[in-house]
Amino acid sequence: MSCPSDDPVPRETVEGTIKSVVYHNDENGYTVLHVEPPSNGFELARGREITIVGKAQAVWEGEDVKAEGQWVTDKVHGRQLKADNITCVAPKSIVGIERYLASGLIKGIGKVLAHRIVETFGTETLNVLEYQSARLREVPKLGKAKIAQIRESWHANSTMRENMIFGQTYGISIIKMTKIVRKYGPDAIAIIKANPYQLCRDIWGIGFATADRIALSVGIPKDSLLRARASLTYTLESEAEDGGHCWTFENDLLLHANELTEIPTEILGQALEEELESGHIIAESDPAAAGGEDPSWAERHDVTAPRKIYLKSFYWAERQTAAHVKRILGAPCSFKPIDAGKAVSWWEQKAGFTLANQQSTALERCLGNKFSIITGGPGVGKTTIIRALVDIYSMRKLKLVLAAPTGRAAKRMTESVGAPAQTIHRLLKWNPVTNKFTYDEENRYDADVFIFDETSMIDIKLAKELLSAIPDTAAVVWVGDTDQLPSVGAGSVRGDLIESGAVASARRDHIFRQDSSGLIVLNAHHVNAGEPLEVRQGDTDFYFMRCEDPIQCVQRAIDFMTTRIPRKFGLDPLADVQILTPMRRNLLGTENLNVELQKALNPSGDAVIRGGTMFRTGDRVMQLRNNYDKDVYNGDVGFVKAVDPEDRKLVVLFDGRPVTYEAADLDELVLAYAMTIHKSQGSEYPAVIVILHTQHYVMLQRNLLYTAITRGKKLVLLMGVPYAIDQAIKTNTVRERRTSLAERLSAR
């Protein structure tokens, strides 16, 4: 009896010319090539194309390739070389050179011109382009302008190729390397080698892990002060991004940085002092932390108070926000005081109904104070108060500004109040020339009253920008729901404003917007109170569907979004129905759901691929970061209007406005058929499908479920496991954010 062979699969080296690039992933370098072997090629591949798969740098048709790996047989694609090393060089044959030039690599050269150039110079073509470009005049029918374009493109490509090879060597994707070159220009490689950690600050999408890997690869010592300083900054940024904290205590900072890098705390301490001296981070003593309720305890007992460590941007955002609030509160209004009682009576007569006590009290508080905050859940009459304020101030012929953090929230505000509203970012008007907002403390907005909705979404940095642009003499009203999820960015601005007692506030909790059949509002308040959900038989606006199996959940969610809800309620699945889930990853996360929903709703057509994501014309997409140059912001949702697969470009419509995305910008977009509950803040949809499962256990919080339910305007379908829903309702441990805005506002 013979035994199975233990001999390893033999390795092969394959050489040839790239006939076509079947697939290339700019993120991870995964590539599929069809390669023509040379005329004297080996027996296995003679007379036919070779398929090579593996990771490679930027590749182009016509290049010569050398690949090392093992032959495998794919069930679908057949025999192919699975390569662990792919090296590409400029082509040497006439056919290869012509294909290389015609591939689109060099702007200005198409198939016809590529043929003429190669016909003129033969195998010397690439040498002519590199060293003797003046000879291009020898090519028939080639003008001066075209020659200049070819020269410029050839030089740029040579530089880019060098950068791409460097990036590939150190694990930087083509997309990210393109961004780096765009930022640093021809000095990109030198800058990266000198201080890879600079990438974390300058290039969106590159974190400490990537920069650290590069740094260690180029020989920066593990215990260097450069690495230590970078780890401190990264730790503070992580605290802000993951926990919403504006600062962290010094000891905690050093501990977390040590856990991250294994750098001794004494070196980290030295790095901290260097960072403090540079001004990148700022320290502030906290006597209260040493002595509990007694701020003077540390001084009286000769104890050094612990230090709060800030990133510079958060420190000044807190200080300036507090200063602007005090500035507004300390100045007289630009208009004569309004008799609140008379104004309320006038509006009730105009509207034809009498306000409830809570509503009239809240309205009078707004009219009688320079800066006021109204909070409350859905159906408690916040919109009615805003509408009354708009009518009263308009009657006095005052200049009003209405705004909200997101486009959807601004649109909803416009529709419900009957007055134009805009996003906060567009209100402030970004100036790409000066790289800052047009309206700021040196050029304040000319208006008498500012009313802002969905203010739970305003983080400390946006609050600073917003308040700096408001004139001393204006009145300010903030409206929102304190029970929703906190802002994605750091800070707890509205909560700190209320806690400080510096501004007038009124909480609304009596439900007015409710009828016998409406359960969305009622269940939102049940969740808020920690009570079980109410579900009724028959036609209603709130449904629950038990679904234990995650695969079945995915299938049912797709069925309801694409077919059953549109058919029963007459809604457009793309425009009107939104799936919400707590997380991005796992089977019930947005990443998987979006792939499956795209297959169901938009399965075919030309596509631009980034990483593993296909973007097609008609896709619903979401912006992931503030891009002031494009005037699009984190959470903005749009639809792909057009794709250009050749140049890998997209055109996305945001509220009817076209925005172009180059290949290097595509990592700012994700599909948005499904989105996280956090990303849905500030938005409202005719129908939402909310998925809650035990897979989401770590995310199950009362404010998460509350926020999800309140996104539905006409219909909410809650789908998942009853235990997960019960757990979310019971869990009300809101994580405290480390901020000092309330203290700054309380201080004289």
Side-chain angles (χ1 to χ4, degrees):
M1 185 176 69
S2 63
C3 296
S5 175
D6 291 327
D7 293 339
V9 178
R11 291 177 60 79
E12 297 274 5
T13 298
V14 174
E15 297 183 14
T17 302
I18 299 175
K19 184 177 181 181
S20 63
V21 181
V22 181
Y23 177 77
H24 184 74
N25 187 320
D26 288 342
E27 281 295 311
N28 57 26
Y30 181 77
T31 303
V32 180
L33 304 174
H34 285 169
V35 174
E36 286 182 344
S39 58
N40 61 345
F42 49 91
E43 293 295 328
L44 184 63
R46 184 177 294 149
R48 70 181 190 191
E49 292 178 359
I50 303 166
T51 299
I52 299 175
V53 299
K55 291 186 176 182
Q57 63 196 39
V59 288
W60 296 92
E61 294 176 14
E63 287 184 308
D64 287 347
V65 64
K66 181 179 180 181
E68 300 174 26
Q70 297 172 331
W71 289 101
V72 298
T73 301
D74 186 88
K75 291 181 180 180
V76 177
H77 303 289
R79 194 164 178 77
Q80 52 191 221
L81 186 78
K82 187 176 181 181
D84 50 32
N85 185 26
I86 300 175
T87 305
C88 297
V89 296
K92 300 179 181 66
S93 70
I94 293 288
V95 174
I97 293 170
E98 185 172 329
R99 186 179 289 154
Y100 182 64
L101 294 184
S103 66
L105 173 69
I106 311 300
K107 289 182 179 178
I109 301 181
K111 289 184 179 180
V112 175
L113 183 53
H115 180 73
R116 292 211 318 265
I117 293 173
V118 174
E119 196 173 45
T120 303
F121 301 117
T123 56
E124 292 297 308
T125 296
L126 300 185
N127 187 63
V128 169
L129 288 166
E130 182 71 28
Y131 303 109
Q132 300 173 297
S133 58
R135 291 186 61 193
L136 287 170
R137 288 175 292 184
E138 299 173 23
V139 180
K141 302 178 182 178
L142 195 60
K144 290 182 180 180
K146 179 64 74 173
I147 290 174
Q149 183 187 18
I150 292 170
R151 280 175 172 168
E152 184 181 350
S153 181
W154 179 262
H155 176 72
N157 180 70
S158 298
T159 304
M160 181 57 76
R161 172 53 64 94
E162 182 185 355
N163 287 318
M164 294 306 156
I165 293 172
F166 175 86
Q168 194 75 21
T169 303
Y170 294 105
I172 308 172
S173 72
I174 290 174
I175 288 289
K176 289 188 174 63
M177 199 65 208
T178 302
K179 288 187 174 184
I180 292 169
V181 174
R182 185 192 292 174
K183 174 72 176 179
Y184 299 143
D187 299 326
I189 293 176
I191 291 172
I192 294 172
K193 286 182 175 179
N195 183 8
Y197 300 105
Q198 191 170 335
L199 295 172
C200 302
R201 291 177 179 167
D202 295 342
I203 310 298
W204 185 82
I206 294 184
F208 180 82
T210 299
D212 199 42
R213 185 179 66 248
I214 299 167
L216 297 175
S217 299
V218 300
I220 293 173
K222 285 187 175 183
D223 60 353
S224 69
L225 281 171
L226 182 66
R227 184 169 184 253
R229 291 175 66 171
S231 72
L232 295 173
T233 300
Y234 171 74
T235 302
L236 288 171
E237 288 172 343
S238 298
E239 289 284 290
E241 185 176 338
D242 299 334
H245 304 302
C246 291
W247 55 265
T248 190
F249 281 118
E250 179 179 350
N251 289 341
D252 292 335
L253 173 62
L254 297 178
L255 177 64
H256 294 158
N258 171 260
E259 291 172 349
L260 175 70
T261 63
E262 297 182 348
I263 295 174
T265 52
E266 52 270 25
I267 295 176
L268 289 168
Q270 185 182 346
L272 174 61
E273 296 309 313
E274 288 192 8
E275 281 290 278
L276 290 169
E277 189 174 344
S278 73
H280 290 144
I281 61 178
I282 293 174
E284 188 175 67
S285 64
D286 186 15
E293 297 295 322
D294 183 2
S296 66
W297 186 90
E299 184 179 349
R300 287 189 290 107
H301 290 79
D302 195 25
V303 173
T304 302
R307 293 195 296 181
K308 299 184 290 190
I309 309 298
Y310 286 83
L311 287 171
K312 176 183 176 181
S313 58
F314 290 113
Y315 175 79
W316 286 110
E318 264 198 359
R319 287 198 56 172
Q320 291 172 10
T321 297
H324 288 306
V325 171
K326 291 180 178 181
R327 170 181 59 82
I328 294 167
L329 288 170
C333 274
S334 60
F335 51 91
K336 293 180 180 179
I338 295 174
D339 187 319
K342 287 184 179 179
V344 170
S345 298
W346 172 86
W347 189 84
E348 288 177 331
Q349 188 174 3
K350 178 180 181 294
F353 66 88
T354 302
L355 295 170
N357 287 337
Q358 276 194 356
Q359 288 177 305
S360 60
T361 300
L363 181 54
E364 288 178 9
R365 189 162 296 175
C366 292
L367 293 169
N369 287 277
K370 197 79 187 305
F371 200 135
S372 53
I373 299 177
I374 300 172
T375 67
V380 299
K382 298 191 302 293
T383 301
T384 301
I385 295 170
I386 297 175
R387 195 182 297 123
L389 286 170
V390 169
D391 287 345
I392 291 168
Y393 287 129
S394 298
M395 183 266 294
R396 294 286 299 268
K397 303 195 183 306
L398 300 177
K399 188 173 181 180
L400 286 164
V401 170
L402 276 66
T406 68
R408 281 184 172 268
K411 185 178 179 182
R412 190 173 72 249
M413 194 179 187
T414 299
E415 293 169 349
S416 60
V417 176
Q422 58 190 309
T423 66
I424 292 172
H425 289 98
R426 293 198 175 99
L427 169 73
L428 299 175
K429 290 185 180 177
W430 181 257
N431 186 332
V433 177
T434 61
N435 230 19
K436 64 178 188 177
F437 288 112
T438 299
Y439 294 104
D440 56 16
E441 59 188 346
E442 296 178 359
N443 180 39
R444 293 193 168 115
Y445 207 96
D446 181 22
D448 301 301
V449 181
F450 293 79
I451 302 175
F452 302 109
D453 200 5
E454 295 288 352
T455 53
S456 63
M457 300 180 67
I458 298 177
D459 60 39
I460 190 65
K461 288 186 177 180
L462 183 57
K464 185 264 291 186
E465 299 290 352
L466 176 61
L467 293 170
S468 70
I470 295 175
D472 299 2
T473 56
V476 180
V477 180
W478 278 29
V479 184
D481 188 345
T482 55
D483 298 309
Q484 285 188 32
L485 291 166
S487 61
V488 175
S492 181
V493 180
R494 191 181 57 192
D496 285 349
L497 287 172
I498 295 171
E499 183 187 339
S500 72
V503 301
S505 63
R507 181 177 173 89
R508 305 278 305 103
D509 53 21
H510 182 75
I511 306 173
F512 294 94
R513 182 164 58 87
Q514 178 185 346
D515 56 46
S516 59
S517 62
L519 288 180
I520 294 176
V521 172
L522 189 62
N523 276 328
H525 287 273
H526 280 325
V527 170
N528 215 16
E531 300 168 353
L533 297 174
E534 186 174 331
V535 181
R536 299 172 186 164
Q537 299 296 319
D539 290 342
T540 181
D541 61 354
F542 189 99
Y543 296 87
F544 170 71
M545 175 174 287
R546 187 180 185 122
C547 193
E548 305 274 353
D549 180 27
I551 296 175
Q552 191 180 53
C553 276
V554 173
Q555 294 168 342
R556 286 184 175 178
I558 293 170
D559 180 42
F560 273 89
M561 180 175 181
T562 61
T563 306
R564 298 180 69 171
I565 288 176
R567 186 171 58 211
K568 181 176 176 63
F569 296 94
L571 298 175
D572 182 340
L574 280 174
D576 300 329
V577 187
Q578 181 66 58
I579 290 181
L580 302 177
T581 184
M583 304 174 76
R584 289 190 300 114
R585 294 187 172 87
N586 73 38
L587 197 63
L588 295 174
T590 57
E591 292 176 357
N592 179 62
L593 285 167
N594 275 315
V595 169
E596 298 301 323
L597 286 162
Q598 186 187 52
K599 291 177 184 176
L601 288 165
N602 196 21
S604 60
D606 289 338
V608 173
I609 301 172
R610 185 205 61 88
T613 303
M614 289 188 184
F615 295 104
R616 294 194 180 97
T617 301
D619 277 335
R620 183 162 71 199
V621 295
M622 179 170 60
Q623 176 75 10
L624 291 178
R625 64 180 288 256
N626 292 337
N627 188 322
Y628 296 105
D629 294 332
K630 295 183 185 296
D631 194 24
V632 288
Y633 303 97
N634 188 1
D636 283 356
V637 174
F639 291 87
V640 178
K641 180 186 179 184
V643 300
D644 184 344
E646 274 193 34
D647 290 338
R648 301 189 65 230
K649 291 182 180 179
L650 293 180
V651 177
V652 181
L653 288 180
F654 291 99
D655 292 326
R657 185 176 63 89
V659 178
T660 299
Y661 287 79
E662 305 285 342
D665 303 320
L666 293 179
D667 60 344
E668 297 183 9
L669 291 175
V670 291
L671 296 174
Y673 300 102
M675 69 173 63
T676 64
I677 297 169
H678 283 82
K679 285 292 188 182
S680 73
Q681 290 185 87
S683 298
E684 197 174 64
Y685 308 90
V688 295
I689 300 170
V690 182
I691 302 175
L692 279 192
H693 199 275
T694 49
Q695 283 193 3
H696 305 131
Y697 187 81
V698 296
M699 300 288 291
L700 298 176
Q701 294 276 340
R702 184 180 298 177
N703 58 0
L704 184 91
L705 178 57
Y706 174 83
T707 300
I709 290 174
T710 54
R711 299 310 91 196
K713 189 176 181 181
K714 297 178 180 178
L715 176 69
V716 173
L717 170 60
L718 182 58
M719 181 183 296
V721 181
Y723 173 78
I725 295 163
D726 291 342
Q727 190 66 29
I729 293 173
K730 291 175 183 176
T731 307
N732 194 34
T733 52
V734 180
R735 188 178 177 187
E736 202 73 23
R737 294 187 167 191
R738 290 190 289 274
T739 69
S740 298
L741 179 60
E743 298 167 26
R744 298 186 192 281
L745 287 166
S746 301
R748 294 186 177 180

